[in-house]
Amino acid sequence: GAVVSQHPSRVICKSGTSVKIECRSLDFQATTMFWYRQFPKQSLMLMATSNEGSKATYEQGVEKDKFLINHASLTLSTLTVTSAHPEDSSFYICSALDRLTSTDTQYFGPGTRLTVL
Amino acid sequence: GESVGLHLPTLSVQEGDNSIINCAYSNSASDYFIWYKQESGKGPQFIIDIRSNMDKRQGQRVTVLLNKTVKHLSLQIAATQPGDSAVYFCAEADGQNFVFGPGTRLSVLP
């Protein structure tokens, strides 16, 4: 099956710093990638939809200036949490759509655990 | 700090028994449904999917049933094994819009 990687898997940072998370589709081209946030024992919360070569579409309540998304190529999307604060601590997961197959299935990355001190 | 999360529904099943995990969806326009498995600290893994023109689809040890009349989706796992312990999410999709269910924790008892 399709493989999606995320880097880093874990990051601890000080309050006020910015953190960049990378999401890569390793063996397919992903015109669309999604970024999710997951709080403990809760389902995935969609933050934004990232389309290659265009601006990301953010869900209501998600600050686009705080969560910067760049999808510069068909295999890479990045999420930058700017001026991170403890309340941004969470598990961030990306997924990618493999539109070359017939199923339009989302394939998920392994997630990034962000802890802001 | 972290938010206080909702308590996930939990299904406890004896090893070797069959498991049935249920999911209700809300959008009658959804035409694609997926089940994901998420182990602790990892991203969701695709298990099986089904399109709205079908009511049943089988995979290896898993079966997905779709009842569009009552907007209900279920995942059946045959001969449940300890490695099946995880949180299972259903997702419904209408075009590019995916909506995830709240998840069910499956606990396999020895």
Side-chain angles (χ1 to χ4, degrees), chain A residues 32 34 36 38-44 49 51 86-87 91 93 97 99 102-106 108-111 113, chain B residues 1-8 32 34 36 38 41-44 46 49 51 89 96 98 100-103 105:
Chain A
T32 303
F34 302 90
Y36 294 88
Q38 189 178 34
F39 291 106
K41 299 181 181 178
Q42 291 193 33
S43 187
L44 303 168
T49 302
N51 290 298
E87 58 266 28
F91 193 51
I93 305 172
L97 273 179
R99 291 213 180 271
S102 61
T103 56
D104 288 343
T105 301
Q106 282 193 56
F108 286 85
R113 171 74 60 194
Chain B
E2 294 180 323
S3 300
V4 175
L6 300 172
H7 288 288
L8 286 172
Y32 180 52
I34 315 105
Y36 291 95
Q38 187 177 24
K42 298 182 181 179
F46 171 88
D49 59 358
R51 294 217 173 260
F89 292 100
Q96 190 174 279
F98 285 77
F100 286 84
R105 182 177 300 282

Side-chain angles (χ1 to χ4, degrees), chain A residues 45-66:
Chain A
M45 183 189 79
L46 179 64
M47 299 174 66
T49 302
S50 167
N51 290 298
E52 186 266 337
S54 63
K55 290 183 179 180
T57 302
Y58 290 81
E59 295 299 301
Q60 193 171 10
V62 179
E63 298 176 59
K64 62 180 180 181
D65 294 330
K66 179 163 186 65

Side-chain angles (χ1 to χ4, degrees), chain B residues 19 23 40 50 52 57 62 76-77 82-83 109:
Chain B
S19 304
C23 182
S40 182
I50 188 168
S52 58
R57 190 156 186 241
V62 293
Q76 299 179 1
I77 304 173
L109 307 172

Side-chain angles (χ1 to χ4, degrees), chain B residues 6-32:
Chain B
L6 300 172
H7 288 288
L8 286 172
T10 299
L11 173 67
S12 295
V13 175
Q14 210 71 39
E15 182 178 353
D17 287 353
N18 297 334
S19 304
I20 301 176
I21 301 171
N22 296 303
C23 182
Y25 65 93
S26 54
N27 184 2
S28 1
S30 293
D31 58 2
Y32 180 52

Side-chain angles (χ1 to χ4, degrees), chain B residues 32-62:
Chain B
Y32 180 52
F33 305 86
I34 315 105
W35 280 100
Y36 291 95
K37 172 186 180 183
Q38 187 177 24
E39 297 175 41
S40 182
K42 298 182 181 179
Q45 290 176 284
F46 171 88
I47 302 175
I48 191 168
D49 59 358
I50 188 168
R51 294 217 173 260
S52 58
N53 60 350
M54 302 173 69
D55 51 24
K56 180 179 180 179
R57 190 156 186 241
Q58 287 184 293
Q60 191 174 24
R61 272 201 316 120
V62 293

